[in-house]
Amino acid sequence: EVQLQASGGGLVQAGGSLRLSCVHSGFTVDGYAIGWFRQAPGKEREAVSCISTDDGHTWTLDSVRGRFTISSDNPKNTVYLQMNSLQVEDTAVYYCTYDRYWCHQGEIWGQGTLVTVSS
């Protein structure tokens, strides 16, 4: 069974940090992309970061680059999103996604985890 399980959200003050985890399992291909998307209240969903489990190639949204870091622990089938220097504008539901080759629109979505940053 294919599964994407996101966790790690919570309430944090501005300037704080959180680490999101995405456990991905059940995929039978050797390499694929795991992405993080977010959707803030009243805003469109946006891609935040992406990593290839095959070669480790990454991409991160300009507005969070330098604050957010994506990484992958392949033996644990887990992708992390380390979020530092969080800002109120980072408040959103964060989702992890699967794409076969590279992050696009997310072929498969996990459930979201809520990140709330207070001022």
Side-chain angles (χ1 to χ4, degrees):
E1 179 186 0
V2 167
Q3 195 168 18
L4 292 168
Q5 184 74 33
S7 62
L11 173 64
V12 64
Q13 286 190 326
S17 298
L18 283 174
R19 188 177 77 162
L20 305 184
S21 299
C22 175
V23 177
H24 50 96
S25 61
F27 300 101
T28 57
V29 293
D30 287 338
Y32 44 87
I34 297 295
W36 287 99
F37 284 70
R38 69 183 180 184
Q39 187 162 24
K43 295 187 177 180
E44 292 188 358
R45 195 162 51 198
E46 66 178 350
V48 176
S49 195
C50 182
I51 189 166
S52 168
T53 63
D54 184 22
D55 60 11
H57 183 67
T58 64
W59 169 86
T60 301
L61 183 66
D62 282 349
S63 62
V64 304
R65 190 173 299 143
R67 299 190 296 119
F68 290 12
T69 303
I70 193 169
S71 62
S72 178
D73 186 337
N74 285 354
K76 293 184 177 179
N77 286 343
T78 303
V79 167
Y80 302 100
L81 185 68
Q82 178 67 43
M83 307 187 295
N84 299 329
S85 302
L86 281 161
Q87 302 170 358
V88 172
E89 300 74 43
D90 296 319
T91 295
V93 178
Y94 286 71
Y95 301 88
C96 63
T97 64
Y98 161 94
D99 280 279
R100 175 60 183 92
Y101 296 106
W102 187 241
C103 296
H104 183 48
Q105 294 183 340
E107 296 173 29
I108 300 173
W109 289 68
Q111 95 292 353
T113 186
L114 176 63
V115 172
T116 304
V117 184
S118 63
S119 58

